[in-house]
Amino acid sequence: EFSVDVSDFMSNGADNLVLTATGADAMQAETYFTFQNTGNVSTLNLLSNQDTGDLFKIATTTHGATTITTIDDDAAAGDLTLDIDGDITLDAAGENITARSNQFNFDSTNTEDPLVIIKNTTDDATSGRLRFLNNRGADGQDGDEAGKIEFYSYDDGTPSGQRYAEIKATIHDATSTEESGKLSLQVASHDGGVEEGLVLTGGSAD
């Protein structure tokens, strides 16, 4: 039986710190890189050397379910940037991707870009779909918007965007079994306000 004093070749040792090599026969426990298993969750943390309460966390649990988290303990500035030298592929075997955000931006410096493609590759007569869903968590009401597409550009005198046209779908009649819809094609009138130009209404006729 023999014992080894790892401090002879390891520096900065402390609980949960990850070891890295500092030479052919030396190691260092990294102050800002930790691993911990609690219950059935294994967690890697990369801590900021400016504030150890600011960190990037990867946590893996049952079935390989993984959560990636950024934490700013003083504010909400823990941004996440993916700078990819190549393409990005999201391949969800569960066939469902959910994103929660107030705004998504797509921008490009190429002519006629960005381009958004919704492609169906099934060998049948159906196509892909773009669906707007207004779920207010209660009964729908007459006049509720079901979806809207806005078209903005600039005028020749101000730096802010001007809405030039809009396609809007609303509930004309929300009565159960008597539902009817309203589709409005709107354009900016001469004063810049957007007014209805063409309106299709389901009305009361079958």
Side-chain angles (χ1 to χ4, degrees):
E1 179 179 337
F2 66 93
S3 62
V4 176
D5 185 356
V6 296
S7 64
D8 291 339
F9 53 88
M10 183 188 73
S11 61
N12 200 37
D15 288 350
N16 303 322
L17 301 186
V18 174
L19 294 177
T20 61
T22 57
D25 56 0
M27 295 184 298
Q28 173 175 288
E30 298 293 342
T31 304
Y32 307 107
F33 188 18
T34 69
F35 171 82
Q36 186 172 13
N37 180 272
T38 303
N40 65 340
V41 182
S42 296
T43 304
L44 274 175
N45 292 316
L46 288 175
L47 285 62
S48 166
N49 67 354
Q50 302 297 310
D51 180 352
T52 55
D54 299 338
L55 57 96
F56 173 74
K57 178 167 67 174
I58 301 175
T60 301
T61 185
T62 308
H63 306 302
T66 300
T67 301
I68 295 175
T69 308
T70 62
I71 297 173
D72 178 357
D73 67 341
D74 299 315
D79 300 334
L80 178 64
T81 299
L82 301 178
D83 188 358
I84 309 301
D85 187 12
D87 296 329
I88 296 175
T89 299
L90 299 178
D91 187 358
E95 299 184 348
N96 189 24
I97 297 175
T98 300
R100 293 183 178 89
S101 179
N102 292 334
Q103 183 171 311
F104 271 66
N105 297 323
F106 300 88
D107 64 75
S108 173
T109 58
N110 294 336
T111 301
E112 296 189 334
D113 286 335
L115 170 66
V116 177
I117 298 175
I118 301 175
K119 178 170 66 174
N120 182 297
T121 59
T122 303
D123 186 12
D124 61 20
T126 63
S127 66
R129 294 171 291 169
L130 178 64
R131 176 180 295 178
F132 294 88
L133 174 61
N134 181 356
N135 181 4
R136 61 156 60 209
D139 293 344
Q141 305 294 322
D142 294 356
D144 282 1
E145 292 183 1
K148 183 163 57 175
I149 301 175
E150 300 175 339
F151 300 88
Y152 274 73
S153 192
Y154 292 121
D155 62 20
D156 66 357
T158 58
S160 59
Q162 162 67 37
R163 182 166 45 132
Y164 282 96
E166 179 176 297
I167 300 173
K168 180 167 66 175
T170 57
I171 297 175
H172 172 251
D173 187 348
T175 305
S176 180
T177 73
E178 298 179 7
E179 301 90 341
S180 67
K182 176 182 174 182
L183 183 66
S184 303
L185 277 68
Q186 304 178 347
V187 294
S189 58
H190 196 60
D191 61 358
V194 175
E195 307 292 344
E196 292 181 337
L198 175 63
V199 178
L200 305 175
T201 305
S204 58
D206 186 0

